[in-house]
Amino acid sequence: MKKIKYLILFFSLTVAFMSCDTLDEEIVSGVTSEYLNTVDGLDAGVNASYSFLRTYYAQEGGNKVSVFGTDEYTHGGHGGDWDLDRYGAGLNAENGNFWSMWSNFYQAINTCNAVVERATASEELTDEQKNPKIAEARFLRAHYYFLLVQTFGDVPLTLEETQGVELEAVRTPQAEVYNAIIADLEFAVANLPTTASVFGRATQPAAKHMLGLVQLTNGNSGAAIPLFKSVINDYGLALDADPLARYNHDNEQHPEILWSVQYDEDPILTPTGNRSHLHFRPWYEVYASGLVRALGHGYGRPWIRYRPTGWLLNNYRVNGSYDVDSRFNEGYQQVWYYNTTGDALPDGAAVGDTAIFLTGDDLTAADVAAIEARLPGVIGGKNLYSWHPNAKGKPWSWYTTDGTDNNSINIFPTPWKQEDNKRPSVNYAEGSRDLIVYCLSETYLLLAEALLNDNKANEAVTYINAVRERAAYPGKESEMMITANDVTIDFILDERSREFNGEQKRWYDLKRTGKLIERYKAYNPEGQTKDYIQSYHLLRPIPANQITRVANEMRQNDGY
Amino acid sequence: MRKLLLFFAVFIVTLCSAMAQKSITGKVIDESGEPLPGVSVFVKGTTTGTVTGIDGDYTLSGVPEQSTLVFSYIGMITQEIAITNQSSVNVTLQADAIGLEEVIAIGYGTEQRGSITGAISSVSTDDIQEMPVTSAGNALQGRAAGVVALQNGSRPGDGVTIRVRGRRSLTADNNPLFVVDGIPYSGNINDINPKDIKSMEVLKDASATAIYGSRGANGVILITTTRGGDMPTTVSYNGYYGVTSPLGEPTMMTGPEFYQLKVDGGYSITDADQNAFERGVSTDWADLVISNGYKQSHQVGVRGGNAKTAFAMSVNYYNEQGIIETQDFTRKTFRLNIDHKISDRVRVGTSTQISDKLKNVGTNGYGSALAASPLAEPYDEEGNIIYQPASDPLRWNPLADYVDGAVINEEDDFRVFANIFGEIDITKDLNYRMNYGVDYQKNRDGLFQGSLSSSRQYSSPRARKIHANELVTTFENILTYVKDINENHSIKATGLFSVQESSWEETRLDVEDLPYEHQLFHNLGTAETVREYDSNLSEWGIMSFMGRINYSLKDKYLLTLTGRYDGSSRLAEGNKWGFFPSAAALWKVSNESFMQNQSLFSDLRLRASYGVTGNTGIDPYQTRGGLSRTTYSFAGGSGFGYRPQDIANPELQWESSATFNIGVDFGIGQSIAGSFEIYQTNTTDLLLERKLPITSGFDNIMTNVGETQNQGWEFSLNARLVDKKDFTWSADLNLFGNTEKIVDLYGDKTDDVGNRWFIGESLTVWYDYEKLGIWQLGEEDAAAVYQATPGEIKVKDVPDENGEIDNIINQDDRQILGSNIPTMTLGLGSRMEYKDFELSFLLFGSFGQMIYNQFEVNNSTLQGRYNNLAVDYWTTDNPTNDHPKADGTREGPRFGSTRGYQKGDFLKVKNIQLGYNLPKNTLSKIGVKAMKIYINADTPLVFSRLSKNGIDPESYDGRIGADTPDIKMYSLGVNIDF
């Protein structure tokens, strides 16, 4: 019995010794939610609110929902989701690109909501300290909602941080969503600094530009006009004489840029980079031997996703010529040169000689023969193409006439502004270019659009001409000038394409101006050959993942 | 030497017995007159004893007058002979009805099979040792009713997924608990050398598992390793060497066929393609990356001991070269088990295993080889690798990774699993035992990708190194009280207090731009660019109190009551503790007097049990909610942030499973034994990672909601079909079925389509469109409704609840196509011995499941970009309903996945072995006790619908990826005892 007493004592001691902290759970390497209440935590929350921009801008999915299915670009030979370009059956609620946008943006919004709510509640910070942070979060929240409401129509609107489990969601009428966006942006305009403490953060002119665009989209041009004018006049900004200066990869803080999504060369800061350099690049390397992927301008990695339409290429002609508007010849790669030696080079060719030649010139058979004679290895219809309308039907025609012609599906001019020559190696995918969301020339063109809507074409023309004047080759300015009579919504859309094509604006521009279906059918080869697009396509499908997860009934958009 | 040791052992035994009085000799034989070596002979009530020699002879000195000798041997009925004045005792032992007296582990103790109240399957030494199994998990396959053990893949070192009686949990862990020599063993039982295993017991019902309380819901697998004993020292060598080869090879398109596919699909044909086609190029890439591999195992073991100290030690070397050249696996294990008696009342001992595994994961060139264009050529005229085979520059040469040093991807795991125990008999009836176990694991993953590897494709070299280590300590105190109160009543009580704690740390660094390649991942500081760096800590603890009482009335009625009270750090404050009780009863019908007059049943027992067990198989910190880090930059400066990612759930508690089990065990005559069980398990408060509407900003939350149910039956039969002097034949059959069902999810009996969870269905189902065929010529108008054209896949437009068809194929047209869980599983093992020859085989089959043939879907994109399986695809001249038309404009056909759902039934000849035992007379002359040589065929035959491309249909989740080719093996082995 005595032994048992010892044993009990031993047990009790062991229990006492072991049980102190075995069941306590202390988080060491992680961070709990309370951190966001601190001053540093709020800054971290603001930064996190920006991070979701990288899930959409300059990513394949983001491009697919904004670049495909427009007059500017159609699909290249590789990649999937062509139904987004065709408005085909695969453009449905199960399409992952819409889910990606939807799911990331709502996580972003909850992050913004957390910042707004916790900063507001913070007792550590004064209003002067907290309001700029709140303004940044509200600027971003407005941006995410603005994209959502344009894409999906009525969307659930939440302006408070989610606490606990929420199983229901209700689609809020668009008008209310717009009211919330406008309220956010008015707060942002009032509280953001005129210039950013660090480039890339939201500023007052960027907020005014966005608010103007929101008003314009919402049919309130009158409210938009003073906002745009303020951006142009009140912040010491001016258009650069060079229309492409803002795309200089070595100067990404160009004053014309109002707000851009930031990418960087350091993989720690940019684990997923700007990938547009892949998507807009044609499959040049198979069109001539002696030509390979390499570091250096023009020889990047090709993913062949987005191909310019013939309309886009011809849209730069002024009086039939490419020698007036500098934005095409300076802005597009149309020629590739041999870049390897050895057996692969055609007889008579040397490194640096032309290997692929794409042109808008109206070539005769004699012209083609002359070029072939002059350039070893270059053959009409093999690596020499013309997109001049007269080329149609000729062997060297670049055109796709029925959407299945393979002549141009994998080879096309590509905009230099998408190229990324700073990548460390040939196949490195994570580009470091910033994606410009708002810039000053857009303010000019949006102002012109608002003025036109307000029946002020006379005033509008000056802003359009300001953008066109600087785009002209020296001495060709007068040819670029237009008059008030030329100002139509179609002209403004043409001009916007010359200025911003492929920058994830087009689908929304066409929708805003009511021109999506008309121009898509007129200019996109898929639209020209198929009649899939319907009026319901002006709204995208609510992702099936949302509808199946929500406990209440959630209405799908018509047609899906 | 051997004789010397034997002499020594006997000498010690002799010394120990104080009152030596006389010496007895004799011979032990079996019913057929064969001498029985290794029979234990001892004086009842003493430690005096010996074992019989090769000829069945024994000599035992120091036998007191008026004592009793006990003769015991596995598989034989124990005999007791009273000694009066004889000096020679010869004994003939009778075979036991199979299994009844076998002692098996039951968790915190042992029990004779005949007195087990719960549902326990046991895998014997023979079953484990007989086949050249590569891991402990392998040894379970087809051997135990209710246990599914399926290979995860064919890469060297790949593990096995083990499920006991199906799955209960939708998102928490479904892995059983492994307990090795009494100590919970976390993670991969691949570390355990199967040659060291003496037996494995699978505890299945709640009565058996309730002593593991919160961790028992998914079944418990007890692994007992080989120990020494009071016996002559035996030195043994076991080894085998086997050649592995692919089960079969897929039929891919040849160069001309692939060219035709491009033509049919309108995929652009480059100059290089055209040129290669004209030259008749047709490269069989799969053939280039696959070669024969091998497996080998070598083990030296020493076992022995005396009356005070017993030991078993072994070293094992296992090595496997995959059939993909860059993949191999090496495991070295060392084991030392010691038991020592300090005095009659105090014992100590250890079980210690050290293992070192090196797995070269390599790269898997198989997938890219299958995808590579047959129009591309691997080597130039000088035999150098063409890195970008000209046909498609986007495709890198899969052989680039086979160049020495191009890619290193190795996982090095070192583990010490050691426990020491001390045991004291406090009184005659009361025993106290303490176990202290340390499980230390160190893992190092190193990755190097050279500039010319397929992952880098001329980019700068990349290297990554991950270091992790985990320390788990277990401290257990066990009290056992055994009392035969009188003839009618006996009691066995066990009490336990146990604490287990785990701490896991990880550091990782991922870099690129290394200045030189030969450093691999051993000089990361020279890198110019850092891709990722991170470190992490995760800790958990479990504390438990357990009590168990076994009560036996007249050795006819047995009752077991168990209760365990467990606390887990992973659960929320206030919900950390859970109580898990169980009760079980056993009625030994055959011990009743009314059974004595019948001769059909030599053994008949009825069992019933009910109990509750738990599951805490979630990651730590889930109750707390948390932020996750985000990455952004501003003007080249950092823009890291934190965002809400996980919702805190302060309510999180145990998931619990209540199991009701009825079993009958029977023996017919001396040569047939079997059992039949039925059970039902209801699991409630599921630890469920519930998907949330993302509009709340959160993707999911871990909650306790929902209910699942498992029902099943198990039948096993062991038979000695023939038991003659020169010929024996035995067979073991197990057959079982388990049905899982989701009973409820969120309390309203509604499906969760987002998660693919459906009330009344199994935990996972295939949910997709149903393929009806291919749109044919003449169906243009009907197809156009769905924007389809002839040659595309036709799927079913499912009518809505009003029976109307909406002419749109969308998410409403998805259907439950089938379950990936088999309705019946079969294991059939058989062993024949004829004179010195042995022949054994094992069949394994699985029936009723639907699989998803991802291999066929992924390798039949019909785009013309990647090579394709040579499938029957649609053209205007070939109106098949099998595969759709080639389409160069799509990365894969619309609704392409619908081609993958197929019946998955299979029957495998898992193993056939022919062995020869060399005659003992000859062997003894060269000092060898026993020697067996054998040839073995591993998976020589598989019967299934998938066999045409060499695909193994075995896969736990029913998804047949076949990303490494499946293999078979022919081997030669030898077992020698010195």
Side-chain angles (χ1 to χ4, degrees), chain B residues 866-944:
Chain B
Y866 306 111
N867 196 14
N868 219 91
L869 282 166
V871 294
D872 179 24
Y873 68 90
W874 190 93
T875 63
T876 47
D877 305 327
N878 179 33
T880 178
N881 274 310
D882 197 2
H883 283 267
K885 67 179 177 185
D887 186 350
T889 69
R890 287 182 181 277
E891 294 199 318
R894 194 140 57 109
F895 309 120
S897 65
T898 58
R899 296 171 295 170
Y901 303 100
Q902 299 166 359
K903 287 187 173 175
D905 316 67
F906 68 85
L907 181 67
K908 258 188 186 186
V909 180
K910 186 70 191 153
N911 195 268
I912 301 181
Q913 187 175 105
L914 177 65
Y916 174 62
N917 289 293
L918 275 68
K920 289 187 177 160
N921 303 343
T922 321
L923 291 175
S924 59
K925 287 174 193 155
I926 52 167
V928 173
K929 270 188 205 162
M931 180 168 171
K932 173 182 165 185
I933 54 176
Y934 59 89
I935 50 173
N936 191 87
D938 198 74
T939 326
L941 281 172
V942 180
F943 303 98
S944 83

Side-chain angles (χ1 to χ4, degrees), chain A residues 108 117 125 165-166 260 271 318 372 445 511:
Chain A
E117 205 167 294
L125 296 171
V165 176
E166 278 184 18
S260 55
V318 179
E372 288 174 351
L445 294 182
K511 177 180 169 172

Side-chain angles (χ1 to χ4, degrees), chain A residues 502-519:
Chain A
E503 295 181 31
Q504 296 188 245
K505 297 178 190 296
R506 194 61 174 182
W507 193 88
Y508 297 98
D509 287 345
L510 294 177
K511 177 180 169 172
R512 177 181 73 245
T513 53
K515 290 283 187 177
L516 178 68
I517 297 173
E518 174 194 329
R519 291 181 66 111

Side-chain angles (χ1 to χ4, degrees), chain A residues 3-4 7 10-11 14-15 18-19 21-29 31-33 35-36 43-45 47-48 50-54 77-80 82-83 86-90 92-94 99 102-103 106-107 110-111 114 156 158 161-162 164-169 198-201 253 260-264 266-271 283 285-286 293 302 304-305 382 406 410 424-428 532 544-551 554 556 559-560, chain B residues 266-268 270-271 345 388 391-394 396 426 430 432 434 456-460 475 477-479 497 499-501 512-513 529-533 535-543 545 567-571 573 576-577 620-627 630-644 647 690-699 701 703 752-754 756 769 786-787 808-811 814 863 865 888-891 894:
Chain A
K3 279 170 187 160
I4 289 181
L7 206 67
F10 176 73
F11 261 102
T14 327
V15 173
M18 298 294 291
S19 63
D21 57 359
T22 298
L23 301 186
D24 289 346
E25 194 171 50
E26 183 191 358
I27 296 183
V28 178
S29 56
V31 186
T32 55
S33 175
Y35 175 66
L36 282 184
D43 287 336
N47 288 350
Y50 281 92
S51 66
F52 294 92
L53 296 166
R54 286 186 177 172
H78 290 198
W82 292 8
D83 273 0
R86 292 173 172 162
Y87 297 89
N92 61 30
E94 296 193 315
W99 169 245
W102 179 277
S103 61
Y106 272 105
Q107 291 176 74
N110 191 48
T111 308
T158 317
E161 184 184 358
T162 302
V165 176
E166 278 184 18
L167 299 174
E168 301 201 344
V198 191
F199 192 81
R201 291 190 176 277
Q253 302 189 25
S260 55
V261 172
Q262 304 281 298
Y263 288 98
D264 194 78
D266 184 345
I268 293 283
L269 299 180
T270 306
W283 202 8
E285 55 191 352
V286 299
R293 248 183 261 188
I304 320 148
R305 297 290 193 267
K382 177 169 180 284
N406 273 328
N410 287 319
S425 54
V426 191
N427 288 313
Y428 193 77
Y532 293 164
N545 271 339
Q546 171 68 24
I547 291 180
T548 54
R549 287 182 186 189
V550 74
M554 192 168 205
Q556 180 54 279
Y560 294 104
Chain B
Y267 193 78
S268 49
T270 64
D271 284 357
R345 291 177 46 216
Q388 287 170 300
S391 168
D392 182 347
L394 297 184
W396 199 252
I426 296 166
L430 183 65
Y432 165 72
M434 187 194 78
R456 302 303 292 164
Q457 305 194 3
Y458 294 140
S459 302
S460 65
F475 181 58
N477 299 278
I478 307 162
L479 274 177
F497 167 70
V499 176
Q500 188 173 32
E501 289 180 342
E512 58 193 23
D513 288 340
T529 310
V530 178
R531 290 162 62 115
E532 189 200 359
Y533 47 85
S535 68
N536 214 333
L537 169 71
S538 175
E539 297 174 309
W540 55 261
I542 288 182
M543 192 183 291
F545 298 90
S568 168
S569 68
R570 301 182 208 206
L571 302 174
E573 211 62 57
K576 285 186 188 295
W577 288 91
Y621 314 123
Q622 301 241 5
T623 62
R624 304 289 294 272
L627 305 178
T630 60
T631 306
Y632 199 67
S633 60
F634 293 104
S638 78
F640 295 115
Y642 279 95
R643 72 175 182 97
I647 318 184
R690 175 180 193 173
K691 292 279 184 202
L692 297 173
I694 196 77
T695 37
S696 68
F698 295 103
D699 185 64
I701 185 171
T703 51
D752 181 342
V753 182
R756 309 285 193 250
Y769 303 107
Y786 302 102
Q787 292 184 8
I808 298 174
I809 300 295
N810 60 14
Q811 65 276 4
R814 289 183 187 270
Q863 185 194 17
R865 178 172 183 190
T889 69
R890 287 182 181 277
E891 294 199 318
R894 194 140 57 109

Side-chain angles (χ1 to χ4, degrees), chain B residues 254-567:
Chain B
T254 61
E257 286 168 344
F258 186 55
Y259 182 87
Q260 187 58 42
L261 179 76
K262 283 175 186 272
V263 172
D264 289 340
Y267 193 78
S268 49
I269 292 170
T270 64
D271 284 357
D273 287 333
Q274 186 65 37
N275 178 286
F277 171 67
E278 283 161 14
R279 285 188 294 122
V281 174
S282 182
T283 306
D284 184 349
W285 288 92
D287 194 50
L288 290 170
V289 299
I290 293 175
S291 49
N292 284 352
Y294 58 82
K295 295 183 187 183
Q296 58 177 326
S297 168
H298 304 282
Q299 164 135 341
V300 176
V302 185
R303 288 170 65 200
N306 55 33
K308 279 184 93 72
T309 305
F311 71 94
M313 55 193 278
S314 71
V315 287
N316 178 276
Y317 172 82
Y318 173 74
N319 171 237
E320 178 175 356
Q321 167 63 51
I323 60 173
I324 299 282
E325 191 185 306
T326 54
Q327 301 176 353
D328 61 62
F329 175 70
T330 305
R331 179 183 60 215
K332 288 172 250 179
T333 54
F334 167 83
R335 170 167 289 280
L336 178 63
N337 289 352
I338 294 177
D339 300 88
H340 176 72
K341 289 179 186 167
I342 294 173
S343 71
D344 280 352
R345 291 177 46 216
V346 183
R347 294 171 291 281
V348 294
T350 180
S351 303
T352 298
Q353 174 176 288
I354 298 172
S355 60
D356 188 10
K357 293 186 300 179
L358 183 67
K359 182 174 175 178
N360 276 313
V361 182
T363 49
N364 187 356
Y366 187 56
S368 47
L370 294 180
S373 166
L375 296 170
E377 289 161 291
Y379 303 107
D380 66 15
E381 283 150 13
E382 280 103 54
N384 300 313
I385 282 189
I386 305 173
Y387 287 100
Q388 287 170 300
S391 168
D392 182 347
L394 297 184
R395 304 293 304 161
W396 199 252
N397 190 332
L399 297 173
D401 294 341
Y402 288 64
V403 175
D404 255 358
V407 178
I408 307 290
N409 183 6
E410 62 173 34
E411 296 171 4
D412 188 356
D413 299 328
F414 178 80
R415 184 169 191 172
V416 177
F417 184 80
N419 78 69
I420 52 170
F421 67 87
E423 205 174 21
I424 178 165
D425 296 333
I426 296 166
T427 68
K428 191 161 69 70
D429 307 319
L430 183 65
N431 171 277
Y432 165 72
R433 180 182 168 107
M434 187 194 78
N435 290 329
Y436 186 73
V438 173
D439 183 3
Y440 175 77
Q441 294 187 68
K442 179 182 83 71
N443 314 109
R444 191 269 283 150
D445 290 1
L447 173 70
F448 171 80
Q449 295 166 335
S451 176
L452 293 174
S453 66
S454 63
S455 318
R456 302 303 292 164
Q457 305 194 3
Y458 294 140
S459 302
S460 65
R462 172 196 176 193
R464 185 186 66 202
K465 202 170 188 185
I466 304 172
H467 276 285
N469 57 60
E470 182 174 18
L471 178 66
V472 184
T473 53
T474 308
F475 181 58
E476 290 181 331
N477 299 278
I478 307 162
L479 274 177
T480 312
Y481 178 75
V482 184
K483 182 81 178 171
D484 290 343
I485 296 164
N486 56 34
E487 271 189 5
N488 289 337
H489 305 280
S490 68
I491 279 183
K492 188 171 178 182
T494 309
L496 164 86
F497 167 70
S498 128
V499 176
Q500 188 173 32
E501 289 180 342
S502 160
S503 169
W504 172 86
E505 289 177 46
E506 183 196 55
T507 312
R508 58 166 70 217
L509 182 57
D510 191 352
V511 302
E512 58 193 23
D513 288 340
L514 296 168
Y516 56 99
E517 297 213 343
H518 69 256
Q519 61 166 278
L520 306 180
F521 39 81
H522 296 299
N523 192 1
L524 301 185
T526 60
E528 285 178 42
T529 310
V530 178
R531 290 162 62 115
E532 189 200 359
Y533 47 85
D534 202 2
S535 68
N536 214 333
L537 169 71
S538 175
E539 297 174 309
W540 55 261
I542 288 182
M543 192 183 291
S544 316
F545 298 90
M546 184 280 278
R548 175 175 61 200
I549 294 172
N550 294 308
Y551 168 70
S552 169
L553 176 63
K554 298 179 177 174
D555 197 29
K556 288 179 193 165
Y557 313 104
L558 283 80
L559 182 69
T560 303
L561 297 173
T562 311
R564 179 152 166 157
Y565 188 54
D566 271 331

